[in-house]
Amino acid sequence: MNELVAGGNVPLPDGAVTFRVPGPFDLSVIVTGDSGKVAGDGDFVFYNQPAAPGARLQGDTVTVDAGRLRAGASRVTVAVSPAEPGTPLGRLPAIALQVRGPDGRPVARFTPQRPDRETVLLLAEIYRRGRGWKLRAIGQGYADGLAGVARDFGVDVAEEGGGGPGAAGGGPGMAGVAAGRPGGAAGSPGVAGGQPGPATGAPGNAGGRPGSIAGAPGSAARQPGSATGAPGNAAGRPRAAPTSAAPDGFLPLVNAARASAGAPPVVLDARLTAAAGAHAAAMAARGRLSSESADGTSLYQRVIAGGYAYLAIGEHLVSGPRTPADFVEYCLSGEQTRRTVQDRAYTQVGVAHTVGPGSADVYWTALWATPLTPQGLGDWASAVLRLTNSERTAAGLRPLSPDPLLTVAAQGHSADMVARAFYSHTSPEGGEPWHRASAAGSTHRAIGENIACGQRSPAEVVDGWMNSPGHRANILKPSFTHLGVGFAGGGSAGTYWTQLFGG
């Protein structure tokens, strides 16, 4: 896989290529010809207009098949913006663009310089070169949102309250950018599925540059859905209809699907169901699918606040299905969403749905989880150590030994990031990894730290670290002899991991 820097380029394989940015972000795509301008509003693919010839947006992933683009198209630009409009990108986890080929194998990754007040970043562009196509990393920021990007590419942007496309009663168009994400026309249900396992993608770098002693943190791996069937978020809307929790018929349907895959049955948990109900109601009130509510409370924070500590968690956020049978059928219709339903790790589930106000849209939230236990936490820490040592052994290095003092410091840092809502090697009062190790009683002279957030399993987080130069350097540093591992669930990303090395 190629680690790109701004301006770097790489040839693309033939066929459909996928672009993904994990975390609280929205992707957009602009299709242009040699002039650099769009041919019309239909060349802009974003949350209210999720498809154009050769390009489709679903959740946090855009698929581009250059061979199916409209006639005259020679360039496709990929942009990222915050899922909550107007939020400066500098306040969010770092952006890591993952590019995969038609066979699902990684093609490239680009971690741009961390933005500050910008609210949109042009990440990369696909461009025709001879008979083939290439990918170039960009990293250009805009402070005036998608409307500014649209104007630069020749899209007419209607002001809020105007009669342009996307205004009330109109079709989806760029007026939605200026007006604060009104819903598109009714369509197929959107979905947000947080799938465990490597299929969700590896963490990217966040903050700092790879190769520092502390390493570079990872980015979130959850998948917010596209609200293609959601109504506009107008002021003064009526309240959402009461939430219906744990609808009849749901549990037998999912357990039948699990049994067909050899997975044990799940049981309903009241705390998960309460969190699912609160989140479904929040989405219905806003008229859009999102892993966060209007006040910034994440789905995972709801779960933790309800008294449920988890080791593993997955979710489905869906709008559209009318009945439990329709909802389950939809969740089983895609490979990744089906994997969540049938994952053997999950033992408990909570589900709820709410009808949106002033519309017939139904918003669903399903939460799948494994409760946190000391044994489970120890098993995951051992798995991270085992996988880390497998990488060291393959590189001809001595394995690391578990260190209980480093483990205390690592676990404390993961829990602290969740409790105080930060994501950094430096704590709010300025504490660094070596300070935490020393406070725990460690006497190691050399200290290094890897952190990551959003990954759903030990295999996924170690794989992500190994695909990042800074993290990989820590894992394969010959002078390190010991390791402590920390994990905590909650926060905005769902999972927070810490590796603390000593030597």
Side-chain angles (χ1 to χ4, degrees):
M1 183 179 66
N2 297 276
E3 291 278 353
L4 295 179
V5 297
N9 61 76
V10 62
L12 289 175
D14 293 335
V17 178
T18 60
F19 298 82
R20 179 171 180 252
V21 176
F25 305 106
D26 284 327
L27 284 181
S28 305
V29 165
I30 307 102
V31 180
T32 59
D34 293 338
S35 68
K37 302 295 184 180
V38 299
D41 286 356
D43 279 348
F44 201 106
V45 176
F46 68 123
Y47 34 72
N48 274 350
Q49 187 167 277
R56 177 171 293 276
L57 170 67
Q58 184 172 11
D60 63 355
T61 300
V62 167
T63 301
V64 178
D65 188 341
R68 297 178 178 273
L69 295 171
R70 64 161 174 82
S74 60
R75 193 175 302 267
V76 179
T77 304
V78 180
V80 66
S81 56
E84 186 63 35
T87 303
L89 290 170
R91 297 182 185 175
L92 300 177
I95 296 166
L97 174 66
Q98 303 166 3
V99 186
R100 293 180 180 268
D103 56 1
R105 295 182 181 180
V107 172
R109 182 166 54 195
F110 174 48
T111 305
Q113 183 175 354
R114 191 174 183 88
D116 184 14
R117 290 176 292 179
E118 293 87 349
T119 54
V120 175
L121 204 64
L122 300 186
L123 285 177
E125 62 179 6
I126 298 174
Y127 61 98
R128 189 190 299 275
R129 178 56 58 90
R131 296 184 178 180
W133 293 78
K134 299 187 75 173
L135 170 72
R136 178 188 291 123
I138 302 177
Q140 175 186 345
Y142 285 73
D144 53 350
L146 285 177
V149 175
R151 290 188 183 97
D152 278 3
F153 282 86
V155 179
D156 292 329
V157 182
E159 298 300 326
E160 184 169 2
M174 278 309 301
V177 175
R181 290 191 70 163
S188 59
V191 60
Q195 292 82 23
T200 57
N205 299 329
R209 292 186 177 273
S212 63
I213 284 181
S219 62
R222 65 186 186 276
Q223 296 186 351
S226 58
T228 56
N233 190 15
R237 297 177 62 181
R239 294 181 178 273
T243 298
S244 174
D248 292 341
F250 171 80
L251 199 59
L253 290 168
V254 299
N255 280 333
R258 290 175 63 84
S260 68
V266 290
V267 298
L268 287 169
D269 181 87
R271 296 163 297 178
L272 291 175
T273 297
H279 198 73
M283 291 192 300
R286 298 178 73 191
R288 54 173 279 205
L289 297 176
S290 175
S291 59
E292 292 185 347
S293 59
D295 64 0
T297 301
S298 75
L299 178 62
Y300 316 105
Q301 289 169 321
R302 292 186 193 279
V303 175
I304 295 297
Y308 190 103
Y310 57 83
L311 183 68
I313 194 164
E315 67 278 348
H316 289 104
L317 309 179
V318 179
S319 66
R322 301 293 176 188
T323 67
D326 291 340
F327 173 64
V328 174
E329 180 182 3
Y330 187 80
C331 293
L332 293 172
S333 63
E335 180 181 353
Q336 291 187 338
T337 53
R338 181 173 63 252
R339 186 178 297 139
T340 299
V341 175
Q342 298 177 334
D343 193 284
R344 297 179 62 87
Y346 299 138
T347 60
Q348 297 176 335
V349 67
V351 63
H353 67 283
T354 302
V355 178
S359 75
D361 290 314
V362 182
Y363 291 82
W364 294 78
T365 299
L367 286 164
W368 314 79
T370 303
L372 180 69
T373 65
Q375 178 65 47
L377 183 61
D379 289 346
W380 274 35
S382 297
V384 171
L385 177 63
R386 182 179 68 255
L387 293 165
T388 299
N389 280 336
S390 177
E391 299 291 350
R392 289 178 64 89
T393 301
L397 300 172
R398 295 182 61 182
L400 303 174
S401 299
D403 188 306
L405 297 179
L406 293 178
T407 296
V408 168
Q411 183 61 36
H413 188 55
S414 288
D416 193 29
M417 287 190 289
V418 170
R420 294 200 283 174
F422 74 97
Y423 181 58
S424 173
H425 296 287
T426 305
S427 66
E429 64 274 6
E432 301 289 355
W434 40 91
H435 298 142
R436 294 188 284 273
S438 178
S442 173
T443 58
H444 289 292
R445 296 175 62 87
I447 294 293
E449 183 180 79
N450 286 344
I451 61 174
C453 66
Q455 297 72 31
R456 305 301 179 96
S457 71
E460 186 182 348
V461 74
V462 173
D463 179 68
W465 280 326
M466 286 300 295
N467 282 312
S468 167
H471 300 95
R472 181 186 178 93
N474 275 340
I475 288 175
L476 300 183
K477 190 170 184 177
S479 61
F480 286 148
T481 58
H482 291 76
L483 179 68
V485 177
F487 168 85
S492 61
T495 60
Y496 291 77
W497 304 79
T498 302
Q499 280 185 316
L500 194 58
F501 301 87

Tab-separated table of all heavy atoms in Angstrom, residues 213-214 405-406 408-410 412-413 416 425-449 500-501:
chain	number	residue	atom	x	y	z
A	213	ILE	N	8.020	9.597	19.029
A	213	ILE	CA	8.098	8.569	20.068
A	213	ILE	C	6.707	8.113	20.460
A	213	ILE	O	6.443	6.940	20.647
A	213	ILE	CB	8.843	9.114	21.312
A	213	ILE	CG1	10.346	9.165	21.046
A	213	ILE	CG2	8.585	8.243	22.528
A	213	ILE	CD1	11.154	9.657	22.206
A	214	ALA	N	5.800	9.073	20.559
A	214	ALA	CA	4.444	8.712	20.975
A	214	ALA	C	3.664	8.063	19.858
A	214	ALA	O	2.645	7.449	20.083
A	214	ALA	CB	3.700	9.945	21.472
A	405	LEU	N	2.786	-2.913	35.292
A	405	LEU	CA	2.812	-1.485	35.589
A	405	LEU	C	2.508	-0.661	34.338
A	405	LEU	O	1.757	0.323	34.401
A	405	LEU	CB	4.179	-1.093	36.164
A	405	LEU	CG	4.542	-1.766	37.496
A	405	LEU	CD1	5.923	-1.318	37.960
A	405	LEU	CD2	3.499	-1.454	38.567
A	406	LEU	N	3.074	-1.070	33.216
A	406	LEU	CA	2.741	-0.388	31.970
A	406	LEU	C	1.273	-0.594	31.614
A	406	LEU	O	0.628	0.300	31.053
A	406	LEU	CB	3.629	-0.892	30.830
A	406	LEU	CG	5.117	-0.551	30.916
A	406	LEU	CD1	5.872	-1.162	29.733
A	406	LEU	CD2	5.343	0.965	30.949
A	408	VAL	N	-1.216	-0.852	33.765
A	408	VAL	CA	-1.983	0.079	34.593
A	408	VAL	C	-1.990	1.468	33.958
A	408	VAL	O	-3.031	2.130	33.869
A	408	VAL	CB	-1.397	0.140	36.021
A	408	VAL	CG1	-1.994	1.315	36.802
A	408	VAL	CG2	-1.655	-1.158	36.758
A	409	ALA	N	-0.823	1.922	33.498
A	409	ALA	CA	-0.736	3.250	32.890
A	409	ALA	C	-1.499	3.304	31.571
A	409	ALA	O	-2.193	4.284	31.282
A	409	ALA	CB	0.728	3.619	32.667
A	410	ALA	N	-1.381	2.252	30.756
A	410	ALA	CA	-2.081	2.227	29.466
A	410	ALA	C	-3.585	2.184	29.658
A	410	ALA	O	-4.336	2.898	28.977
A	410	ALA	CB	-1.614	1.019	28.651
A	412	GLY	N	-5.242	3.208	32.237
A	412	GLY	CA	-5.655	4.500	32.776
A	412	GLY	C	-5.775	5.561	31.699
A	412	GLY	O	-6.689	6.389	31.733
A	413	HIS	N	-4.885	5.527	30.708
A	413	HIS	CA	-4.951	6.538	29.656
A	413	HIS	C	-6.158	6.315	28.750
A	413	HIS	O	-6.836	7.279	28.376
A	413	HIS	CB	-3.667	6.516	28.824
A	413	HIS	CG	-3.579	7.654	27.858
A	413	HIS	ND1	-3.683	8.980	28.246
A	413	HIS	CD2	-3.413	7.682	26.507
A	413	HIS	CE1	-3.579	9.767	27.193
A	413	HIS	NE2	-3.427	9.009	26.119
A	416	ASP	N	-9.111	7.467	30.643
A	416	ASP	CA	-9.091	8.922	30.797
A	416	ASP	C	-9.552	9.610	29.517
A	416	ASP	O	-10.286	10.607	29.567
A	416	ASP	CB	-7.678	9.367	31.160
A	416	ASP	CG	-7.615	10.816	31.637
A	416	ASP	OD1	-8.621	11.303	32.199
A	416	ASP	OD2	-6.571	11.459	31.451
A	425	HIS	N	-1.882	11.964	22.940
A	425	HIS	CA	-0.846	11.404	23.808
A	425	HIS	C	-0.621	12.312	25.015
A	425	HIS	O	-0.091	11.866	26.034
A	425	HIS	CB	0.461	11.262	23.031
A	425	HIS	CG	0.385	10.292	21.894
A	425	HIS	ND1	0.333	8.934	22.081
A	425	HIS	CD2	0.330	10.476	20.560
A	425	HIS	CE1	0.279	8.330	20.909
A	425	HIS	NE2	0.248	9.245	19.973
A	426	THR	N	-1.025	13.570	24.909
A	426	THR	CA	-0.853	14.535	25.994
A	426	THR	C	-2.181	14.737	26.699
A	426	THR	O	-3.182	15.100	26.074
A	426	THR	CB	-0.350	15.881	25.442
A	426	THR	OG1	0.855	15.661	24.694
A	426	THR	CG2	-0.083	16.853	26.574
A	427	SER	N	-2.225	14.521	27.990
A	427	SER	CA	-3.461	14.688	28.752
A	427	SER	C	-3.786	16.168	28.895
A	427	SER	O	-2.922	17.029	28.656
A	427	SER	CB	-3.314	14.041	30.131
A	427	SER	OG	-2.337	14.725	30.902
A	428	PRO	N	-5.007	16.512	29.297
A	428	PRO	CA	-5.380	17.930	29.399
A	428	PRO	C	-4.465	18.750	30.296
A	428	PRO	O	-4.274	19.946	30.065
A	428	PRO	CB	-6.803	17.871	29.971
A	428	PRO	CG	-7.343	16.568	29.458
A	428	PRO	CD	-6.170	15.623	29.499
A	429	GLU	N	-3.878	18.136	31.318
A	429	GLU	CA	-2.982	18.895	32.190
A	429	GLU	C	-1.524	18.800	31.754
A	429	GLU	O	-0.618	19.288	32.446
A	429	GLU	CB	-3.108	18.430	33.645
A	429	GLU	CG	-2.685	16.986	33.891
A	429	GLU	CD	-3.802	15.998	33.639
A	429	GLU	OE1	-4.869	16.419	33.160
A	429	GLU	OE2	-3.618	14.813	33.943
A	430	GLY	N	-1.259	18.180	30.595
A	430	GLY	CA	0.098	18.152	30.055
A	430	GLY	C	0.870	16.867	30.285
A	430	GLY	O	2.056	16.788	29.936
A	431	GLY	N	0.247	15.848	30.848
A	431	GLY	CA	0.944	14.594	31.098
A	431	GLY	C	1.295	13.865	29.811
A	431	GLY	O	0.486	13.805	28.883
A	432	GLU	N	2.489	13.299	29.739
A	432	GLU	CA	2.970	12.567	28.577
A	432	GLU	C	3.087	11.077	28.912
A	432	GLU	O	2.997	10.696	30.079
A	432	GLU	CB	4.330	13.117	28.135
A	432	GLU	CG	4.331	14.591	27.770
A	432	GLU	CD	3.605	14.880	26.456
A	432	GLU	OE1	3.192	13.909	25.777
A	432	GLU	OE2	3.435	16.063	26.109
A	433	PRO	N	3.311	10.229	27.909
A	433	PRO	CA	3.392	8.780	28.178
A	433	PRO	C	4.402	8.421	29.253
A	433	PRO	O	4.131	7.551	30.104
A	433	PRO	CB	3.786	8.203	26.814
A	433	PRO	CG	3.231	9.175	25.818
A	433	PRO	CD	3.373	10.508	26.451
A	434	TRP	N	5.574	9.049	29.226
A	434	TRP	CA	6.589	8.715	30.218
A	434	TRP	C	6.193	9.154	31.615
A	434	TRP	O	6.572	8.517	32.595
A	434	TRP	CB	7.932	9.330	29.812
A	434	TRP	CG	7.844	10.708	29.245
A	434	TRP	CD1	7.926	11.881	29.913
A	434	TRP	CD2	7.619	11.025	27.868
A	434	TRP	NE1	7.772	12.937	29.045
A	434	TRP	CE2	7.601	12.453	27.781
A	434	TRP	CE3	7.449	10.267	26.709
A	434	TRP	CZ2	7.397	13.108	26.569
A	434	TRP	CZ3	7.260	10.930	25.511
A	434	TRP	CH2	7.236	12.334	25.442
A	435	HIS	N	5.394	10.221	31.698
A	435	HIS	CA	4.888	10.635	33.013
A	435	HIS	C	3.926	9.583	33.560
A	435	HIS	O	3.979	9.241	34.751
A	435	HIS	CB	4.163	11.984	32.905
A	435	HIS	CG	5.036	13.104	32.457
A	435	HIS	ND1	4.599	14.095	31.599
A	435	HIS	CD2	6.338	13.395	32.724
A	435	HIS	CE1	5.573	14.959	31.381
A	435	HIS	NE2	6.637	14.556	32.040
A	436	ARG	N	3.059	9.069	32.701
A	436	ARG	CA	2.095	8.064	33.142
A	436	ARG	C	2.801	6.773	33.552
A	436	ARG	O	2.405	6.131	34.529
A	436	ARG	CB	1.068	7.798	32.037
A	436	ARG	CG	0.180	8.984	31.730
A	436	ARG	CD	-0.942	8.646	30.777
A	436	ARG	NE	-0.520	8.512	29.388
A	436	ARG	CZ	-0.438	9.522	28.528
A	436	ARG	NH1	-0.712	10.756	28.936
A	436	ARG	NH2	-0.079	9.315	27.266
A	437	ALA	N	3.812	6.380	32.790
A	437	ALA	CA	4.557	5.169	33.135
A	437	ALA	C	5.247	5.320	34.482
A	437	ALA	O	5.206	4.414	35.325
A	437	ALA	CB	5.576	4.858	32.044
A	438	SER	N	5.874	6.476	34.691
A	438	SER	CA	6.573	6.716	35.957
A	438	SER	C	5.604	6.743	37.125
A	438	SER	O	5.872	6.188	38.202
A	438	SER	CB	7.346	8.034	35.877
A	438	SER	OG	7.987	8.321	37.097
A	439	ALA	N	4.437	7.381	36.928
A	439	ALA	CA	3.442	7.454	37.998
A	439	ALA	C	2.929	6.084	38.383
A	439	ALA	O	2.535	5.851	39.546
A	439	ALA	CB	2.280	8.348	37.561
A	440	ALA	N	2.927	5.146	37.440
A	440	ALA	CA	2.480	3.783	37.731
A	440	ALA	C	3.563	2.951	38.399
A	440	ALA	O	3.311	1.799	38.784
A	440	ALA	CB	2.025	3.101	36.445
A	441	GLY	N	4.769	3.496	38.504
A	441	GLY	CA	5.859	2.787	39.168
A	441	GLY	C	6.859	2.148	38.226
A	441	GLY	O	7.776	1.455	38.667
A	442	SER	N	6.718	2.389	36.929
A	442	SER	CA	7.638	1.782	35.973
A	442	SER	C	8.998	2.470	36.028
A	442	SER	O	9.092	3.689	36.189
A	442	SER	CB	7.067	1.893	34.554
A	442	SER	OG	8.007	1.446	33.601
A	443	THR	N	10.060	1.675	35.859
A	443	THR	CA	11.424	2.215	35.866
A	443	THR	C	12.097	2.087	34.496
A	443	THR	O	13.310	2.252	34.381
A	443	THR	CB	12.274	1.495	36.928
A	443	THR	OG1	12.283	0.089	36.652
A	443	THR	CG2	11.719	1.746	38.324
A	444	HIS	N	11.325	1.783	33.461
A	444	HIS	CA	11.911	1.681	32.123
A	444	HIS	C	12.485	3.031	31.700
A	444	HIS	O	11.882	4.086	31.927
A	444	HIS	CB	10.854	1.237	31.115
A	444	HIS	CG	10.433	-0.192	31.268
A	444	HIS	ND1	11.268	-1.252	30.995
A	444	HIS	CD2	9.257	-0.740	31.677
A	444	HIS	CE1	10.627	-2.398	31.217
A	444	HIS	NE2	9.406	-2.112	31.642
A	445	ARG	N	13.655	2.978	31.062
A	445	ARG	CA	14.316	4.208	30.629
A	445	ARG	C	13.740	4.727	29.313
A	445	ARG	O	13.720	5.925	29.061
A	445	ARG	CB	15.816	3.964	30.487
A	445	ARG	CG	16.494	3.615	31.796
A	445	ARG	CD	17.951	3.260	31.568
A	445	ARG	NE	18.698	4.381	31.016
A	445	ARG	CZ	19.283	5.328	31.748
A	445	ARG	NH1	19.178	5.287	33.071
A	445	ARG	NH2	19.958	6.303	31.174
A	446	ALA	N	13.308	3.817	28.446
A	446	ALA	CA	12.737	4.208	27.158
A	446	ALA	C	11.233	3.903	27.167
A	446	ALA	O	10.823	2.801	27.554
A	446	ALA	CB	13.417	3.465	26.016
A	447	ILE	N	10.434	4.873	26.747
A	447	ILE	CA	8.975	4.731	26.736
A	447	ILE	C	8.443	5.161	25.372
A	447	ILE	O	8.885	6.170	24.803
A	447	ILE	CB	8.311	5.598	27.831
A	447	ILE	CG1	8.707	5.096	29.215
A	447	ILE	CG2	6.789	5.601	27.677
A	447	ILE	CD1	8.152	3.719	29.576
A	448	GLY	N	7.508	4.405	24.833
A	448	GLY	CA	6.817	4.775	23.605
A	448	GLY	C	5.342	4.448	23.729
A	448	GLY	O	4.953	3.601	24.549
A	449	GLU	N	4.514	5.104	22.963
A	449	GLU	CA	3.073	4.901	23.072
A	449	GLU	C	2.411	4.937	21.704
A	449	GLU	O	2.739	5.787	20.867
A	449	GLU	CB	2.459	5.979	23.960
A	449	GLU	CG	0.962	5.809	24.205
A	449	GLU	CD	0.402	6.903	25.102
A	449	GLU	OE1	0.160	8.015	24.579
A	449	GLU	OE2	0.216	6.647	26.324
A	500	LEU	N	1.554	0.856	25.540
A	500	LEU	CA	2.634	1.568	26.209
A	500	LEU	C	3.856	0.648	26.259
A	500	LEU	O	3.822	-0.419	26.883
A	500	LEU	CB	2.208	1.981	27.619
A	500	LEU	CG	3.100	3.008	28.323
A	500	LEU	CD1	3.208	4.293	27.510
A	500	LEU	CD2	2.568	3.338	29.726
A	501	PHE	N	4.891	1.060	25.545
A	501	PHE	CA	6.104	0.252	25.425
A	501	PHE	C	7.157	0.701	26.427
A	501	PHE	O	7.275	1.899	26.741
A	501	PHE	CB	6.694	0.399	24.009
A	501	PHE	CG	5.770	-0.001	22.902
A	501	PHE	CD1	4.878	0.921	22.366
A	501	PHE	CD2	5.799	-1.281	22.377
A	501	PHE	CE1	4.035	0.567	21.316
A	501	PHE	CE2	4.959	-1.644	21.322
A	501	PHE	CZ	4.073	-0.715	20.811
